[in-house]
Amino acid sequence: MENLHGWIFTYNQYESNWMAVKRDDFPLLFSDIKNKNILKSNKIETLIEIVNKTNGDISRLGKQLRNER
């Protein structure tokens, strides 16, 4: 769970999904919702798992997804 430090999780009731973003990228939630630094999922558990598996490093996310497919 230490990988979750510095992350913000929020629920978008209009789109029925969860979003996660690093604290420094928080303004993107209001200005650039389609930015690649914003993670989205229907389940918060999925976002937590992704952040933990990549140690909070978004650049590893693409590699992680390619390895799981």
Side-chain angles (χ1 to χ4, degrees):
M1 290 291 198
E2 65 275 355
N3 297 325
L4 300 179
H5 178 76
W7 281 84
I8 296 171
F9 294 83
T10 186
Y11 185 73
N12 182 330
Q13 67 183 10
Y14 301 106
E15 294 184 16
S16 299
N17 66 13
W18 284 91
M19 295 180 286
V21 66
K22 287 186 175 182
R23 183 179 59 214
D24 294 340
D25 292 329
F26 179 71
L28 294 175
L29 291 173
F30 303 99
S31 64
D32 189 7
I33 198 76
K34 296 185 184 214
N35 191 290
K36 63 180 174 124
N37 291 338
I38 299 175
L39 306 178
K40 295 180 183 178
S41 177
N42 293 338
K43 298 180 181 178
I44 192 170
E45 294 85 3
T46 302
L47 295 177
I48 291 171
E49 183 178 346
I50 289 170
V51 171
N52 279 323
K53 279 188 175 182
T54 62
N55 293 321
D57 183 1
I58 293 179
S59 66
R60 292 181 52 199
L61 181 61
K63 295 175 189 173
Q64 184 73 32
L65 292 175
R66 285 192 295 273
N67 290 337
E68 290 181 1
R69 290 183 182 179

